[in-house]
Amino acid sequence: MRAYHISGGVPLCGEVCVSGAKNAVLPILAAALVSSKPSVLYHCPDISDVTNAVSIMKSLGCEVERNKDRIYIDASDIRSSDISPFFMEKMRAAIIFLGALLARFGEAKISQPGGCKLGERPIDLHLMGLRLMGYRCEYQGERLYCCAEKLRGCTIALPFPSVGATENLILAALRCPEEVVICNAAKEPEICDLILYLRKCGAHICGENTSVLRICGGRTLLGAEYTVMPDRMEAATFLCAAATTRGSLCLKNVCPEHTCAVNRMLCNAGCKIRQGDGRMEICCDTLNAVGPIRTAPYDAFPTDAQAPMMAAMATARGVSVFEENVFSDRYRHVPALLQMGAKIRATGRCAIVEGVDRLHGAGVAATDLRGGAAMVLAALCAEGESVVSNIFHMERGYECFAKKLSACGAKIRITE
Ligand code: UD1
């Protein structure tokens, strides 16, 4: 089984070029199916979630060519709007193909999406919005069949600003001949990236970066050339890696404003961060506990950065408190950190982290994408050797993770 072998104790030092954002490229790939005209996407990360998204597109009859970070998509010959459970269970973002297929064909058949296990991940908000627009959604055994009946303009008030539901509803609304308003929409930068791509294709959508989106559908979309935004979660992970190892890193291809909440917390903890145009430099000598670190929708502290931040706080001076408010089971990395000598008590939404002087190496298994990244960060600062297995989790979302870390001095290698 593939694993990272890590010899800890080396402060990271060097430059990291941040890749295109996983959570932006996946919905944009799905969106490229809405038009029958070709699109070209740049800065697409080489991660297995993108490979899986491309497989889904090809399985539907779409022509996709991937060349380094460029993906060419020609969806003119799509023959099917049925995604096999084999692909659906590989990643959460497969659910976004539902909205794209509905926009293009007025019908789609999917099943429950897979992805990281972070607690219950229902799709009730997606279905509520689709039904309000006039889509019929019904389960046929394990499979979900949706089709357009009489579509109508409507206002969808989301009880929670779900990222996935907002993306799906934006896409499905493109078929609706009247205005669809989404209230309490997610404001994550990846939603804005999706809207900017769709607008380049000719869609009429306004309100990006606000919680009210207006979509005027019923238009024929063209394709577009589009460069995917930088991955703010990869940036946040490397910022936390510099803090965890008391190192200094220069991150290139970043939007500093996208990681504001993480930057603020790390600065409060004693890191020095300098921001420039598309770059950030972080330097960390000593790390103090901060808190409370409360996760919430953008622009609060992101749930995806909670685990990497916890790895940093595991050896900070003092006690920090985490409150996870987005997912019900997102402390699955804690047992691995405990095995490395961390002092953490996690109950319900809360985790109390008492900083220890040092961690020690251990053999641990990644539980999910960000939790696995946190284990790698902890191993990088731990005394001795660690083995982090199940690295397919990290390979879903971090491009060349080990390579980028070792370019900054980390002693990390992959074994098969
Ligand atoms: C996306 C991101 C993920 C990030 C998360 C929150 C992608 C591919 N993934 O996931 O990295 O951690 O946003 O920022 O972009 N919920 C419901 N009903 C629904 C939909 C969601 O109850 O119909 C709940 C979920 O169970 C969860 C919370 O809402 O507790 C947040 O989910 P959501 O914002 O939808 O996250 P994802 O789109 O799954």
Side-chain angles (χ1 to χ4, degrees):
M1 190 187 282
R2 282 162 67 74
Y4 293 134
H5 282 244
I6 298 166
S7 241
V10 183
L12 293 184
C13 179
E15 237 179 44
V16 179
C17 185
V18 170
S19 303
K22 165 178 105 62
N23 289 352
V25 72
L26 297 173
I28 293 174
L29 281 169
L33 301 189
V34 179
S35 167
S36 57
K37 299 280 183 272
S39 275
V40 183
L41 306 180
Y42 297 98
H43 217 222
C44 302
D46 186 6
I47 53 177
S48 62
D49 267 9
V50 168
T51 306
N52 193 45
V54 168
S55 302
I56 290 177
M57 296 162 82
K58 287 185 174 170
S59 77
L60 299 172
C62 184
E63 188 193 330
V64 187
E65 281 167 28
R66 202 168 166 189
N67 184 359
K68 295 188 181 140
D69 72 345
R70 173 187 183 273
I71 301 183
Y72 168 87
I73 304 130
D74 180 348
S76 54
D77 272 344
I78 293 196
R79 292 174 298 275
S80 164
S81 55
D82 179 335
I83 304 180
S84 115
F86 172 80
F87 293 122
M88 286 300 303
E89 65 198 24
K90 287 194 175 179
M91 64 174 180
R92 175 74 188 175
I95 188 72
I96 311 301
F97 282 94
L98 171 62
L101 289 170
L102 288 176
R104 174 81 181 270
F105 300 108
E107 65 168 4
K109 203 169 194 181
I110 60 158
S111 46
Q112 200 63 28
C116 288
K117 295 192 169 44
L118 312 172
E120 281 294 300
R121 297 183 83 172
I123 56 166
D124 55 325
L125 304 181
H126 304 235
L127 300 185
M128 179 269 282
L130 291 177
R131 287 182 174 128
L132 275 173
M133 279 185 244
Y135 286 102
R136 182 158 59 87
C137 307
E138 64 187 30
Y139 280 95
Q140 299 174 347
E142 297 281 285
R143 313 228 60 212
L144 172 67
Y145 175 70
C146 300
C147 68
E149 296 211 308
K150 192 163 167 28
L151 298 186
R152 54 185 170 259
C154 60
T155 297
I156 303 164
L158 291 174
F160 179 86
S162 153
V163 172
T166 302
E167 292 165 346
N168 241 338
L169 296 175
I170 291 172
L171 291 170
L174 294 171
R175 191 180 184 85
C176 196
E178 296 164 3
E179 185 181 70
V180 173
V181 182
I182 306 175
C183 298
N184 199 25
K187 291 187 288 188
E188 270 66 4
E190 293 78 10
I191 304 271
C192 178
D193 221 35
L194 171 65
I195 292 174
L196 294 182
Y197 163 74
L198 287 169
R199 194 177 285 152
K200 242 188 144 184
C201 293
H204 277 200
I205 305 173
C206 60
E208 70 271 21
N209 296 321
T210 77
S211 51
V212 181
L213 300 175
R214 293 174 186 278
I215 303 113
C216 293
R219 305 170 63 85
T220 303
L221 297 192
L222 302 168
E225 289 202 24
Y226 193 76
T227 300
V228 176
M229 62 175 268
D231 196 313
R232 63 193 171 102
M233 291 313 157
E234 188 192 0
T237 303
F238 278 98
L239 290 173
C240 291
T244 310
T245 63
R246 311 299 188 269
S248 54
L249 289 177
C250 173
L251 308 188
K252 294 195 308 192
N253 184 45
V254 289
C255 293
E257 64 273 24
H258 289 170
T259 53
C260 231
V262 177
N263 296 14
R264 206 176 307 125
M265 214 47 98
L266 288 171
C267 288
N268 289 345
C271 299
K272 291 184 187 67
I273 300 182
R274 282 215 323 240
Q275 304 177 2
D277 191 18
R279 54 195 287 139
M280 279 193 285
E281 286 167 20
I282 177 167
C283 170
C284 179
D285 297 325
T286 52
L287 203 62
N288 300 310
V290 280
I293 297 160
R294 296 193 172 100
T295 69
Y298 192 77
D299 53 359
F301 195 92
T303 173
D304 284 359
Q306 176 254 108
M309 187 72 179
M310 193 177 285
M313 288 299 114
T315 57
R317 236 183 299 168
V319 176
S320 29
V321 177
F322 286 74
E323 192 181 289
E324 172 56 53
N325 295 308
V326 180
F327 290 104
S328 58
D329 187 15
R330 206 164 194 183
Y331 289 132
R332 298 175 73 228
H333 48 282
V334 168
L337 298 184
L338 293 178
Q339 257 183 277
M340 294 177 168
K343 277 195 181 165
I344 305 171
R345 263 179 302 132
T347 33
R349 282 166 185 262
C350 269
I352 299 169
V353 182
E354 201 181 315
V356 294
D357 285 343
R358 58 181 57 86
L359 299 176
H360 53 77
V364 295
T367 44
D368 58 274
L369 170 60
R370 309 297 169 190
M375 293 174 205
V376 170
L377 302 198
L380 289 172
C381 87
E383 239 169 37
E385 302 272 327
S386 294
V387 178
V388 183
S389 58
N390 283 353
I391 67 171
F392 64 87
H393 284 295
M394 285 74 107
E395 290 174 335
R396 283 191 34 232
Y398 291 98
E399 181 174 54
C400 302
F401 197 30
K403 213 167 156 186
K404 289 186 184 183
L405 288 167
S406 58
C408 298
K411 292 191 181 143
I412 177 169
R413 63 191 167 85
I414 297 178
T415 52
E416 298 298 329

